[in-house]
Amino acid sequence: MSSDLVILLTAGLTATACGLLGPFLVLRRNALMSDAVAHAVLPGIVVAYLIFQTRAPLPIVAGAAVFGIICVLGIDALRSTGLVKWDAAIALVFPALFALGVIGISTYATGVHLDLDSTIYGEIAFAPFLSLDVLGAELPRTVVLGGAAVVANLAFVALLWRKLKTTSFDPQYAQAVDVSPARLSRMLLVAVAITAVISFESVGAILVVALLIVPAAAAHLLTDRLTAMIAITVAIGWVSAIGGLSFASAADASIAGMMGVVAAGCFVLALLAGPRYGLAARAIRRRRAGRRARVALGAAGEGGAAA
Amino acid sequence: MGPLIDALPFSYTVSVIALGAAVLGLTAGVLGTLAVLRQRTLVGDALAHATLPGVCVAFIATGAKDASTLLIGAGAFGLIGALLVVGLERSGRTRPDAAIGVMLSSFFALGIVLLTYIGSLNESGQAGLESYLFGQAAGLVERDVTIMAVLGLGALAVVAALFRPLKSTLFDIDHAAAGGLPVRALEVVMTALLVVAIVIGVRTVGAILMVAMLVVPAAAARQLTGRLAGVLVLAGLIGATVGVTGALLSAQSGLPTGPVIVLVGFLVVLACLLLAPGRGVLWRARKLARDRRRLLVEGVLIDLETALHGGPPPTQRELALASGRPRRALRRALRDLERTGALARDGERIYLSESGAASVHAVLERRDLWSAWLEHGWRLELPDAREPDPRDLRASLGDEHADRLRALAAEARS
């Protein structure tokens, strides 16, 4: 595989994995929880590195999942004391966990080949140089991991489709038929943690949030159907991957960052030009409605004068 | 700044760092409180992230690396970010959390692109800017601290001058608007102040963790007092303490400043959440345990009195059977009573000592008074709508009302 193709596949698969979860996060108003969880996986990665002294994916995924759960439970616990509001609870827990991870990396970085830059924006440009041995075949590591994340998230969404849909659109009804929205949110956030850590090497733990939230928020502006929303989200993800790659090499800047910027551009486009909820469409509708009302009033006025 | 720096018992560099961190903690504490009380903390997170591209744009535009130019860029982008968050929230379809998330990650991605772009231009250019990610106290110079202090004092003066209108807006925005306050303008002022706090802090704490500096002092101070002025002052003090401690620890250990400050702050908040008098989790748990114990002991006293009233002094076993209480609870209550000298024993049998009889009397009287209050309290026609303390009704009503309540109850009984 050529190195450009490896980078493109890595970026696209990461965006796809994020795009499968993003719509649910946006619909359930969990966008900021996913931001918190993506930050909180960092100490999990560091701890796994320190304990197992390896970059093998499984221990690191496990460590990240554990810290993702710690983050969610910690935020829930803080909220349930009633002493702080939800936003403050989020803003207290994730910086603390992230700070722990950053200190861990700065202290032990030499031993574990980790550094702060890759934490934030990944090192997708190095993707072609890392390979993983799968059943005797040498495959690019990030592509294999990204593919695994896509398959896992696809399975997660497919298996829990009905429950995810119910709890996202009508949490009260879901509660009434014994499907707990809170539990599904937690499962979703664990999936986010695992996706974040798999994307860690390619786009970094923080920019993964851009791929989770921004394309889904853009798709939310474009459609009312869940399946269409997921499809559009994934499509925007690929557009961001392709666009990010080409613009980044033109400007000699971070690929992951450029992917986020392209995704943001797609969001702005959807916000301005969306067919139904876009600002332009709404302005036109408002003006038409105003004109119709004026015409109707004018007709009524003439009719009244004639009578 | 000079004399202040000389007055501190540290070396010159450390004094500058400590002063800078104190200014940052003070302003972030006070101004962050305004955001935390409006539940807009995470907007602060988005604004902090938005300052990163601002710093980069300022650098690209001017080529300058002095802090004040870069901070102007940070402030401009912070304000743009604030406008966009509010505009997006009001645009209808996008929910507040998604709006904040979109702004946060878009601006941050842009910041990373610009940062890496600057890095590719020349080798040395990026070195200074990277500290805006995780913060660096070590690079502070006296001029920076002076600028931070002037900005911070200005912002605090605004808060002091607008204290009353801000207070009304924070606690009941509809009431404030009905009273003729320009609440929209006040919200804009509060957001602008938030941007000032972030601009002051972002160099030392870093864009990613700045939000913690906004929320930590407010969350800690709120546990310790319920008055807005108190929360603001305490938040400022806590912020300054956390900032100085963290900055000094980081300067000593060479670790990035932001994470160290944040961890120190998190520990402070945790301690306040657990131990704050009247509110803290452990404080409340201890109070609950004590109240339960007191009720148990009083109940056992009355059980014993009832048993003595109906027959010979009971053994512990008989008392357990008669009262239906679990053995262990009964044993514990009897041990407590024995320690206070309320019990007397005759072999196996238990009866009340003189002081025990007196306390039974007191408990019964208190309970009678409480039932009288529930039944006839309305006839007292108290001059105010006070909520009496059920544990000591007599003290909270006053002797005069208590006696009248007893008279009313006796009258109703006869």
Side-chain angles (χ1 to χ4, degrees):
Chain A
M1 252 187 268
S2 81
S3 60
D4 277 352
L5 185 62
V6 170
I7 295 179
L8 179 65
L9 274 181
T10 305
L13 288 173
T14 306
T16 310
C18 294
L20 289 169
L21 302 178
F24 295 103
L25 297 170
V26 167
L27 288 171
R28 305 166 76 90
R29 298 160 203 240
N30 268 344
L32 292 169
M33 283 296 278
S34 70
D35 179 50
V37 166
H39 283 78
V41 299
L42 189 60
I45 295 171
V46 176
V47 168
Y49 268 123
L50 288 181
I51 295 178
F52 300 102
Q53 297 289 337
T54 164
R55 285 182 81 125
L58 270 183
I60 290 172
V61 165
V66 167
F67 273 83
I69 293 169
I70 289 177
C71 174
V72 174
L73 293 184
I75 290 172
D76 279 353
L78 268 189
R79 276 162 72 171
S80 68
T81 60
L83 298 177
V84 293
K85 295 277 168 37
W86 70 273
D87 63 322
I90 293 179
L92 283 172
V93 172
F94 88 79
L97 288 171
F98 188 72
L100 211 59
V102 172
I103 289 183
I105 290 183
S106 336
T107 313
Y108 302 106
T110 46
V112 292
H113 313 289
L114 261 175
D115 61 51
L116 289 176
D117 289 355
S118 69
T119 308
I120 299 176
Y121 45 87
E123 26 191 39
I124 199 168
F126 298 146
F129 308 120
L130 298 166
S131 58
L132 197 67
D133 201 32
V134 181
L135 305 172
E138 286 275 306
L139 292 174
R141 176 187 160 93
T142 47
V143 174
V144 175
L145 288 181
V150 170
V151 171
N153 286 350
L154 201 59
F156 175 79
V157 171
L159 285 177
L160 295 173
W161 178 254
R162 290 189 72 92
K163 289 186 176 181
L164 277 171
K165 206 168 156 179
T166 325
T167 48
S168 298
F169 287 105
D170 197 345
Q172 272 136 13
Y173 168 74
Q175 191 86 59
V177 298
D178 217 16
V179 179
S180 158
R183 194 168 46 203
L184 272 155
S185 285
R186 272 182 209 164
M187 289 165 74
L188 194 61
L189 290 169
V190 171
V192 166
I194 292 171
T195 309
V197 73
I198 289 178
S199 320
F200 178 72
E201 283 177 19
S202 45
V203 295
I206 300 187
L207 280 173
V208 74
V209 180
L211 295 180
L212 278 167
I213 303 176
V214 180
H220 191 225
L221 287 164
L222 296 177
T223 176
D224 285 327
R225 296 191 54 82
L226 182 57
T227 37
M229 189 173 162
I230 295 177
I232 294 174
T233 308
V234 172
I236 293 178
W238 277 93
V239 169
S240 315
I242 296 167
L245 217 58
S246 35
F247 292 140
S249 61
D252 201 4
S254 153
I255 296 171
M258 201 54 102
M259 282 171 71
V261 171
V262 174
C266 293
F267 178 84
V268 172
L269 217 59
L271 181 67
L272 295 178
R276 193 150 165 216
Y277 301 105
L279 294 180
R282 285 209 298 204
I284 292 172
R285 259 209 312 278
R286 238 191 339 266
R287 280 189 51 185
R288 279 204 193 129
R291 200 177 305 145
R292 260 203 306 278
R294 270 196 302 281
V295 169
L297 278 176
E302 278 165 21
Chain B
M1 282 291 126
L4 208 54
I5 289 171
D6 295 337
L8 288 174
F10 306 118
S11 73
Y12 174 79
T13 346
V14 177
S15 304
V16 170
I17 292 173
L19 263 184
V23 170
L24 134 79
L26 182 72
T27 44
V30 174
L31 305 176
T33 304
L34 301 178
V36 171
L37 292 179
R38 287 192 302 152
Q39 296 189 43
R40 304 283 280 166
T41 319
L42 293 165
V43 176
D45 194 20
L47 302 190
H49 283 73
T51 57
L52 189 64
V55 168
C56 296
V57 167
F59 176 80
I60 294 172
T62 65
K65 275 211 302 198
D66 66 304
S68 39
T69 316
L70 299 183
L71 289 187
I72 290 172
F77 267 69
L79 285 177
I80 294 171
L83 284 179
L84 288 179
V85 169
V86 174
L88 196 52
E89 278 176 355
R90 296 218 175 115
S91 74
R93 176 80 168 164
T94 307
R95 279 114 180 220
D97 71 314
I100 296 172
V102 166
M103 281 305 147
L104 186 154
S105 43
S106 302
F107 271 111
F108 194 70
L110 183 62
I112 294 299
V113 166
L114 292 175
L115 206 58
T116 45
Y117 170 70
I118 294 169
S120 71
L121 288 183
N122 60 338
E123 290 293 307
S124 59
Q126 197 194 2
L129 297 183
E130 286 230 300
S131 65
Y132 285 88
L133 283 175
F134 293 111
Q136 188 142 63
L140 284 179
V141 296
E142 199 178 324
R143 216 174 88 83
D144 302 341
V145 177
T146 313
I147 294 170
M148 285 163 71
V150 169
L151 271 178
L153 282 179
L156 295 185
V158 171
V159 174
L162 295 178
F163 181 70
R164 288 187 139 269
L166 285 179
K167 191 173 168 183
S168 323
T169 314
L170 280 176
F171 286 109
D172 193 343
I173 189 162
D174 295 332
H175 184 251
L181 283 175
V183 286
R184 276 281 171 88
L186 285 167
E187 288 200 305
V188 170
V189 168
M190 282 193 263
T191 308
L193 290 174
L194 194 62
V195 173
V196 172
I198 290 168
V199 165
I200 291 175
V202 73
R203 174 126 182 275
T204 312
V205 183
I208 302 175
L209 293 172
M210 187 59 215
V211 63
M213 234 16 238
L214 299 172
V215 66
V216 156
R222 176 66 191 86
Q223 310 312 320
L224 301 177
T225 170
R227 303 187 59 85
L228 179 63
V231 173
L232 287 173
V233 171
L234 261 181
L237 292 178
I238 292 173
T241 316
V242 166
V244 172
T245 316
L248 292 182
L249 278 178
S250 125
Q252 216 169 36
S253 59
L255 291 171
T257 313
V260 178
I261 292 186
V262 168
L263 281 185
V264 171
F266 186 72
L267 292 180
V268 170
V269 168
L270 214 56
C272 288
L273 288 175
L274 290 178
L275 304 172
R279 269 172 78 96
V281 173
L282 291 181
W283 198 96
R284 280 188 306 192
R286 200 184 67 157
K287 181 170 180 316
L288 187 66
R290 281 188 169 178
D291 286 353
R292 282 196 176 141
R293 187 67 168 256
R294 197 176 46 80
L295 276 177
L296 171 73
V297 169
E298 283 182 4
V300 168
L301 256 181
I302 289 171
D303 291 345
L304 186 58
E305 161 76 10
T306 318
L308 286 169
H309 204 69
T315 62
Q316 194 167 326
R317 241 183 114 79
E318 284 166 358
L319 190 59
L321 280 175
S323 64
R325 287 178 197 279
R327 286 272 178 77
R328 264 189 46 200
L330 184 69
R331 208 161 42 223
R332 222 184 296 155
L334 286 176
R335 213 183 308 131
D336 277 12
L337 285 169
E338 197 131 40
R339 207 176 305 133
T340 55
L343 294 189
R345 284 180 190 267
D346 178 15
E348 282 280 280
R349 304 199 167 271
I350 312 167
Y351 52 97
L352 288 166
S353 71
E354 229 165 83
S355 75
S359 40
V360 169
H361 189 69
V363 170
L364 285 175
E365 199 199 274
R366 208 161 64 228
R367 291 193 172 185
D368 282 347
L369 196 61
W370 181 248
S371 5
W373 162 256
L374 292 181
E375 202 173 339
H376 307 290
W378 58 276
R379 285 160 71 188
L380 283 181
E381 288 169 359
L382 291 178
D384 48 19
R386 67 187 121 170
E387 194 63 50
D389 179 6
R391 282 167 309 180
D392 198 354
L393 193 58
R394 184 169 278 275
S396 54
L397 286 181
D399 276 337
E400 189 193 326
H401 286 304
D403 288 339
R404 193 163 134 56
L405 201 54
R406 288 186 54 174
L408 282 172
E411 190 183 299
R413 233 177 283 136
S414 60

